[in-house]
C-alpha cells in the first residue's frame, strides 16, 4: 500500500530516460504487468485510492481528517502510552509473584518435572545443582484487589488497585539483546520497526512540533547495553523512528543558536535548503530525502517546543515530592517519569523509558532492592499524577522487562544471598490506564514461578492487545517490504480480551 | 449424460470463443453495406459477400460447437432451446443474405439495395437476441440488468431489515447473499454447472452430480464445504479459477448453517446455538454494530457509536484554521476527536467565535479536549449542544463555575468528564454529574469537591477521582 518505489518519478524530463534505465525493478514490472496497468497505477495516487474505500461522497473530507491507512479500525481506548521498560529482566519472584511454598524447598534441587527439559543459558546450564532460592523479602496483600507485592515496592503497593498484573508473561528469547529486540519489534533480530514506530506510522502525530515517539534512557545506566534499533523504524519511513532524548540537562543538543547568531534568517535558510532538497528529490526520488526535509523542519520547530516541554521549573513543589528527590536531578528515572508526563501532555503519543540494570545473576537481593528503590516511587507517582489529571483515562502505562528470572540460584545459595538467571517461560508485567482492567490480576504460575499454569500472555499477544487498545486490528496494520507484508505481530498474536474493560 | 465423449465436450467448450466470429463478420457486413450507400465508399460493398460467407460458415461451426456444449447438461433446457433455435435461424438467414448478395437469389432490381439492408438488419437483431440468450446461460439472467441505472429495483426479493442479529433468518439473511454473490452465476436454474443449482431450497437439497452438496449437521462431509476448502490449485476447488474465492468469514457462515442450523431455511440466529465469532461475522454482514451484546464473555463493553453525516470539507478546513486538530476516531465513521491545544487562545482571540465554528460539526464530535484555554460558562453553554460527546476534557479552565457545569447536564452520551484544576467548582456540580446517567468517570482533583462530598453523594456506578 505504501510502496514508495511506485511513486518514484522524476519531474525532470532529462532524467526520466536515465531513470528508466537505472531501475531494473521498474523495468521488470512494466514488462510483466503491461504498460496499461502501469498507466492506471500512476493515475491513481494512493490518497485517492484510500479515500474511495469509504462512502464516495466523503472523498473530499478524507483529504486531511481521514487516516490514509484506514485506521483506526475501531474506537480506540488509548490515545498515548508510556512504556516503563525495566531492562535486564526484573525478578518476578522478589517483586510480585509470591510463592510461599518455596520456603520448604530451600536449597533443594529444582525438580526435573518442573523444568521439563528446558534448555538453560550457558551461565547456569553447567551447574551441578539448581538449588531453589525462595525470596528473602516479605510479601503482603494490598488494596481492594488484594494484590501481592513485596516489601521492595512500597509505593507501587499503594496503587495496585489501578494496575492490571499479567503474571503469565512468556517470551521466546532467553538472552538480553534478542529478548529486548523481540519485545520492541516483534522479532528477535534487529531490523523490524519498533512498536512506537508502528503506532507513529499508523496513527500519525498529535503535535507537529514534537516527535511522535520519544525514548528516554535513565542516565548512568549500567548493565546490558541498549541500542537505537530498539526504537528504530526498520523498513518504515524514517520519520517514524523514536527520537532519543539525552539524559541530562539538555535533552536535545544544538537547539540553542550559536554565539553571535540571532537566528532571524534561519527560516529563510531552511526554505532554500528545502528547495535544493526538492530538486534532489525530483532527480532521484529517494524517500529518504523527504524524510530528511521533514526532519529539518521538525528540528526547527523543536527549537522552541523542546525548551518549553523539558523545562520542569514550573512544576510545583508537591509534584517533585510525589516523584521523589531524584526527580530534581535531570536524567534519572524519576526525572524521566516527570518529563514523560509533560511530553504526553503536549501531545507526544509514545514515550518509552528505559531503566537498565535489572540483571541480577549474582547478589540478587541487594540488586533488586537497589533497582526497586530507584524506580518504585517515581513509577507509582506517575500513575497517581496521571490519574489525578484524568490522563489515565486515555493513557496506557506499561511496566516490565524482557523476561523474568529463575527460581533456582545461579551460583552459591546462602540464607541471605542468591543469584538468579534469565527465565523466559514465566514472568510478571503490569499495565494501567486506558482500557485495561484496574485492580486485576491475570494469569498464574506454578509453585516455582517456572511455568505458566493459567492464562499465559505471549509477547505477540501483548503486542496485539496493545494495538487493539489504540483501535488497531493487529492483523490489518501492515507494511509491504521486500515482497511481503509485515506486521508487528508477524503471523502470530491474539488480543487478550480478558484484560480489557 | 456421461455417455458423451470427453472429446465432444472439449470441443464444445470452444463455443464461447468461436461464437464471436459470426457476430463480428455479420456485423461487419452490415457496416459495409451501410457505409457503401455513400458514394464515396460504395466500392467497399464488394467485400460484403465475403463477410457474409465467412459469417455464415463460422455461424455453422459455432452452432455445431454449441450443440456439443449443450450435451454436457449443465444448462436449463428451456433457455437452451431458445438460444439453440435462434442460433440456427440466424445461420440460415446469414446464408440467405449471402445468396442475395451474390445474386443467387434474384430480387427485383429496384429493391436490391433495400433488400440487402433489411436482411442484414434482421441479422443484427437476431444476433443480438441469440447473443443475449447465450449470455443469460453463461452469466445468469440478471447479469445484464443488475446495475441498470433507471429501472425500478426488484423489491419483491428484498429482505426485511433486521435490527438485532438474533432476529436474522440464517438462510435468508446470511447464507443466501453469499450464494448469490459467489455461486449462483454458475449454479442456477438456467446454468446448472455440475447439475447443481442454488436457486431454491429444493434444488439445494437435490444437490449436484458429484455427491450430496449439503449434509445437514455434517459440514465437513458436505460437498459444498469440501470444495471451497480444497487447495485453490486443486481442480475441484470452488469457485473455479478466475472467480473470487469465498472469504474465511463466508465459509464460517456456510459451515455454521450446515452444522448448527442443519441446513434448514427457516431458523433464526437466536433459535440455534451460535458461536461468538459467527455472531460477529453475522453482525458485520448485516451492517449491525457491536455484534450481539458483546458476546458471551461479558467483558467487552462495546461503546455504541452515534451515526453522523459527513462533514463539509470546507467547514473542517475552517475549523482547523482556528487551531483545532481533528482526528477521525474510527475510519469512515465521520466521528471525530477534536483538540484545542492548551494556550491556543491569543490575546484578542474570541473563543466564542471558535466554538461557533466548531458547532457546525457538533454531531460529529465524540471526544472534545479544550484544556487550559480560559473556557468559561458561556462557552460551556455552546458545548452543551454537542449531544454526541462521550468524552469531555476541560481541565485547568479556572473560570468555569458550577452554573457552567449545570448547563451540560443534558449531554446524555457523556461517559468521561475531566474538570481537573477548575478550582471554582464545588459539590453543587456533583448533582449535575449524577444527573448524567451515562457518566462513569469524573476527574475532579483540584476542585472544591471533597472526598466527604463524594461519600455523601454515595453513587456507586459513578467514579469520581480526586
Amino acid at each position: 500500500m505504501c510502496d514508495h518505489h511506485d511513486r518514484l518519478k522524476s519531474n525532470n524530463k532529462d532524467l526520466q530516460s536515465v531513470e528508466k534505465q537505472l531501475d531494473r525493478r521498474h523495468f521488470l514490472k512494466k514488462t510483466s504487468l503491461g504498460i496499461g496497468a502501469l498507466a492506471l497505477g500512476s493515475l491513481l495516487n494512493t490518497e485517492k485510492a484510500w479515500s474511495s474505500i469509504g462512502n464516495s461522497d466523503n472523498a473530499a473530507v478524507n483529504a486531511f481528517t481521514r487516516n490514509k491507512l484506514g485506521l483506526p479500525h475501531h474506537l480506540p481506548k488509548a490515545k498515548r502510552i508510556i512504556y516503563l521498560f525495566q531492562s535486564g529482566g526484573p525478578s518476578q519472584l522478589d517483586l510480585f509473584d509470591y510463592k510461599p511454598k518455596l520456603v520448604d524447598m530451600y536449597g533443594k534441587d529444582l525438580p526435573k518435572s518442573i523444568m521439563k527439559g528446558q534448555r538453560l543459558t550457558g551461565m547456569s546450564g553447567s551447574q551441578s545443582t539448581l538449588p531453589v532460592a525462595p525470596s528473602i523479602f516479605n510479601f503482603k496483600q494490598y488494596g481492594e484487589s488484594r494484590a501481592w507485592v513485596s516489601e521492595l515496592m512500597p509505593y507501587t503497593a499503594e496503587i495496585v488497585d489501578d494496575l492490571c498484573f499479567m503474571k503469565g508473561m512468556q517470551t521466546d528469547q532467553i538472552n538480553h539483546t534478542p529478548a529486548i529486540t523481540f519485545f520492541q519489534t516483534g522479532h528477535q533480530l534487529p531490523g523490524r520497526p519498533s512498536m512506537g514506530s508502528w503506532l507513529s506510522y499508523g496513527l500519525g502525530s498529535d503535535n507537529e512540533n514534537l516527535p511522535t515517539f520519544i525514548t528516554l534512557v535513565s542516565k548512568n545506566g549500567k548493565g546490558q547495553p541498549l541500542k537505537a534499533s530498539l526504537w528504530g523504524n526498520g523498513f518504515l519511513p524514517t520519520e517514524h523512528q523514536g527520537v532519543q532524548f539525552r539524559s541530562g540537562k539538555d535533552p536535545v543538543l544544538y537547539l540553542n543558536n550559536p554565539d553571535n547568531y540571532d537566528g532571524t534568517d534561519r527560516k529563510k535558510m531552511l526554505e532554500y535548503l528545502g528547495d535544493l532538497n526538492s530538486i534532489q528529490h525530483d532527480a532521484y526520488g529517494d524517500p529518504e530525502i523527504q524524510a530528511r526535509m521533514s526532519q529539518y523542519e521538525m528540528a526547527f520547530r523543536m527549537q522552541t517546543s523542546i525548551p518549553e516541554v523539558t523545562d520542569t521549573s514550573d512544576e510545583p513543589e508537591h509534584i517533585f515530592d510525589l516523584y521523589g528527590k531524584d526527580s530534581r536531578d535531570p536524567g534519572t528515572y524519576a526525572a524521566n517519569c516527570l518529563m514523560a508526563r509533560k511530553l504526553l501532555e503536549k501531545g507526544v503519543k509514545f514515550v518509552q523509558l528505559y531503566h537498565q540494570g535489572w540483571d541480577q545473576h549474582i547478589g540478587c537481593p541487594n540488586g533488586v532492592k537497589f533497582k526497586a528503590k530507584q524506580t518504585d516511587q517515581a513509577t507509582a507517582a506517575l500513575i497517581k499524577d496521571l490519574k489525578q489529571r484524568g490522563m489515565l483515562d486515555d493513557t496506557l502505562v506499561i511496566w516490565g522487562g524482557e523476561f523474568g528470572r529463575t527460581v533456582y540460584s545461579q551460583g552459591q545459595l546462602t540464607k541471605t544471598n542468591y543469584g538468579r538467571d534469565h527465565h523466559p517461560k514465566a514472568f510478571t508485567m503490569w499495565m494501567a490506564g486506558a482500557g485495561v482492567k484496574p485492580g486485576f490480576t491475570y494469569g498464574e504460575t506454578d509453585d516455582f514461578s517456572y511455568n505458566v499454569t493459567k492464562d499465559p500472555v505471549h509477547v505477540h499477544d501483548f503486542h496485539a492487545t496493545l494495538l487493539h487498545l489504540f483501535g488497531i486490528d493487529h492483523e490489518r496494520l501492515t507494511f509491504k517490504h521486500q515482497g511481503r507484508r509485515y506486521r508487528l505481530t508477524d503471523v502470530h498474536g491474539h488480543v487478550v480480551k480478558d484484560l480489557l474493560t | 449424460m456421461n455417455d458423451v465423449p470427453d472429446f465432444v465436450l472439449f470441443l464444445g467448450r470452444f463455443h464461447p470463443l468461436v461464437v464471436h466470429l459470426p457476430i463480428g463478420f455479420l456485423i461487419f457486413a452490415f457496416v459495409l453495406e451501410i457505409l457503401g450507400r455513400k458514394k464515396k465508399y460504395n466500392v467497399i460493398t464488394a467485400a460484403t459477400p465475403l463477410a457474409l460467407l465467412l459469417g455464415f460458415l463460422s455461424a455453422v461451426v459455432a452452432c455445431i460447437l454449441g450443440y456439443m456444449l449443450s450435451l454436457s447438461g449443465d444448462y436449463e433446457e428451456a433457455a437452451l432451446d431458445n438460444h439453440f433455435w435462434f442460433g440456427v435461424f440466424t445461420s440460415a438467414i446469414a446464408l440467405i443474405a449471402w445468396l442475395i448478395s451474390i445474386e443467387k437469389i434474384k430480387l427485383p432490381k429496384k429493391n436490391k439495395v433495400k433488400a440487402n439492408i433489411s436482411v442484414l438488419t434482421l441479422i443484427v437483431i437476431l444476433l443480438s437476441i441469440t447473443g443475449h440468450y447465450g449470455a443469460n446461460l453463461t452469466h445468469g439472467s440478471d447479469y445484464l440488468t443488475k446495475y441498470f441505472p433507471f429501472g425500478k429495483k426488484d423489491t419483491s426479493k428484498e429482505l426485511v431489515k433486521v435490527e438485532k442479529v438474533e432476529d436474522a433468518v440464517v438462510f435468508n439473511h446470511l447464507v443466501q447473499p453469499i450464494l448469490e454473490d459467489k455461486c449462483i452465476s454458475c449454479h442456477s436454474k438456467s446454468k446448472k454447472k455440475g447439475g447443481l443449482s442454488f436457486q431454491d431450497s429444493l434444488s439445494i437439497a437435490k444437490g449436484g452430480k458429484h455427491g450430496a452438496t449439503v449434509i445437514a449437521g455434517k459440514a465437513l462431509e458436505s460437498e459444498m464445504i469440501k470444495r471451497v476448502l480444497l487447495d485453490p490449485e486443486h481442480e475441484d476447488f470452488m469457485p473455479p479459477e478466475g472467480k473470487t474465492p469465498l472469504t474465511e468469514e463466508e465459509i464460517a457462515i456456510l459451515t455454521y448453517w450446515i452444522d448448527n442450523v442443519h441446513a434448514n431455511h427457516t431458523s433464526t440466529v437466536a433459535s440455534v446455538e451460535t458461536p461468538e465469532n459467527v455472531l460477529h461475522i453475522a453482525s458485520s454482514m448485516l451492517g449491525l454494530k457491536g455484534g450481539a451484546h458483546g458476546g458471551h464473555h461479558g467483558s467487552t463493553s462495546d461503546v455504541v457509536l452515534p451515526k453522523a453525516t459527513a462533514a463539509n470539507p470546507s467547514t473542517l478546513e475552517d475549523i482547523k484554521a482556528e487551531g483545532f486538530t481533528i482526528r477521525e476516531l474510527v475510519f469512515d465513521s465521520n466521528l471525530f476527536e477534536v483538540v484545542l491545544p492548551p494556550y491556543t487562545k491569543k490575546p484578542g482571540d474570541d473563543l466564542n467565535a471558535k466554538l461557533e465554528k466548531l458547532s457546525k460539526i457538533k454531531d460529529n464530535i465524540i471526544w472534545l479536549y479544550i484544556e487550559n484555554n480560559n473556557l468559561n460558562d458561556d462557552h460551556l453553554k455552546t458545548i452543551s449542544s454537542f449531544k454526541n460527546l462521550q468524552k469531555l476534557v476541560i481541565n485547568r479552565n479556572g473560570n468555569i463555575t458550577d452554573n457552567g457545569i449545570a448547563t451540560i447536564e443534558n449531554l446524555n452520551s457523556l461517559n468521561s468528564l475531566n474538570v481537573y484544576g477548575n478550582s471554582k467548582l464545588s459539590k453543587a456540580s456533583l448533582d449535575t454529574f449524577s444527573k448524567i446517567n451515562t457518566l462513569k468517570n469524573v476527574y475532579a482533583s483540584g476542585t472544591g469537591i471533597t472526598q466527604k462530598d463524594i461519600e455523601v453523594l454515595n453513587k456507586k456506578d459513578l467514579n469520581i477521582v480526586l
Side-chain angles (χ1 to χ4, degrees), chain A residues 53-55 58 60-61 64-67 70-76 79 387-390 393-394 497 500-501, chain B residues 299-301 310-311 313 316-317 320 326 328-332 334 337 367 369 391 416 418 420 443 445 465:
Chain A
I53 285 176
N55 304 332
N58 292 342
V61 183
F64 67 96
T65 54
R66 190 146 290 175
N67 186 299
L71 296 171
H73 301 122
H74 54 262
L75 189 69
K79 193 173 144 72
K387 191 178 177 188
Q388 240 182 13
R389 286 161 196 266
D393 199 68
D394 41 23
K497 291 233 163 100
L500 310 177
T501 53
Chain B
S299 59
T300 43
S301 55
L316 290 177
E317 211 116 25
K320 228 186 161 194
I326 307 170
E328 194 176 34
L329 280 168
V330 181
F331 184 72
D332 204 19
N334 296 305
E337 170 202 64
W367 294 3
Y369 293 72
K391 184 187 297 210
S416 169
N418 187 339
Y420 163 75
Y443 302 92
S445 174
V465 177

Side-chain angles (χ1 to χ4, degrees), chain A residues 358-396:
Chain A
W358 286 97
D359 192 22
Q360 278 78 33
H361 290 279
I362 49 169
C364 183
N366 279 334
V368 176
K369 197 172 177 178
F370 179 57
K371 286 291 139 190
K373 193 158 175 4
Q374 280 182 330
T375 57
D376 176 42
Q377 183 177 0
T379 303
L382 179 64
I383 298 285
K384 283 183 194 164
D385 198 11
L386 290 174
K387 191 178 177 188
Q388 240 182 13
R389 286 161 196 266
M391 288 170 73
L392 209 51
D393 199 68
D394 41 23
T395 304
L396 182 67

Side-chain angles (χ1 to χ4, degrees), chain B residues 3 44 74 151 170 203 210 225 255 335:
Chain B
D3 47 1
I44 62 174
D74 288 341
V170 177
S203 43
H210 305 282
I225 302 297
T255 308
L335 298 173

Side-chain angles (χ1 to χ4, degrees), chain B residues 73-82 137 188-193:
Chain B
D74 288 341
Y75 303 93
E76 188 205 8
E77 267 173 40
L80 190 65
D81 275 359
N82 285 334
L137 285 174
S188 66
K189 248 195 195 134
S190 50
K191 187 184 182 187
K192 290 187 201 161
K193 285 274 188 174

